[in-house]
Amino acid sequence: QVQLVESGGGLVQPGESLRLSCVASISIFRLFGMGWYRQAPGKQRELIARITSGGATAYADSVKGRFTISRDNAKNTVYLQMNSLKPEDTAVYYCNSDQTNWTWGQGIQVTVSS
């Protein structure tokens, strides 16, 4: 059973930045495309950023130009650098493979508010 542990969230003001991390307990992490997802109150979980095993990235329009996904295969970790945060980015953030192969972790709360 793969475990996913997200960290790095918190409460920030609009315009500020956060970096999220997610560690996956799988030895062949490097073979999987990874994604960051978020679920805002009253909304469905959505994929906002993905990175292939080869490092190619793609983003939802809502975060394009502000968020950057990256990975460190040596640490089994995927990151999400979030800049210029907006109140509408408030959500619980999750990572998973880009095919959502694994059981979801607990996620990490990100709140953007003045």
Side-chain angles (χ1 to χ4, degrees):
Q1 181 78 328
V2 177
Q3 288 190 316
L4 301 166
V5 180
E6 299 93 349
S7 61
L11 171 63
V12 296
Q13 294 189 345
E16 294 186 338
S17 299
L18 280 174
R19 188 175 86 149
L20 306 183
S21 301
C22 170
V23 180
S25 66
I26 182 168
S27 60
I28 53 172
F29 171 82
R30 69 189 186 284
L31 299 181
F32 287 87
M34 293 296 296
W36 278 99
Y37 306 75
R38 70 184 181 188
Q39 187 167 20
K43 295 187 177 181
Q44 290 191 331
R45 184 153 41 201
E46 60 172 340
L47 175 65
I48 57 168
R50 62 192 302 174
I51 184 167
T52 68
S53 58
T57 59
Y59 301 91
D61 287 344
S62 58
V63 306
K64 196 174 297 182
R66 300 188 298 122
F67 291 10
T68 303
I69 188 171
S70 61
R71 65 190 299 161
D72 184 338
N73 290 334
K75 297 181 179 179
N76 285 10
T77 301
V78 61
Y79 303 99
L80 186 68
Q81 177 68 43
M82 305 187 295
N83 298 330
S84 303
L85 282 161
K86 304 176 180 180
E88 51 263 44
D89 295 318
T90 295
V92 179
Y93 284 70
Y94 304 84
C95 72
N96 207 318
S97 72
D98 60 359
Q99 302 300 313
T100 61
N101 298 92
W102 306 317
T103 300
W104 295 97
Q106 296 213 346
I108 192 75
Q109 177 70 45
V110 172
T111 303
V112 185
S113 176
S114 55

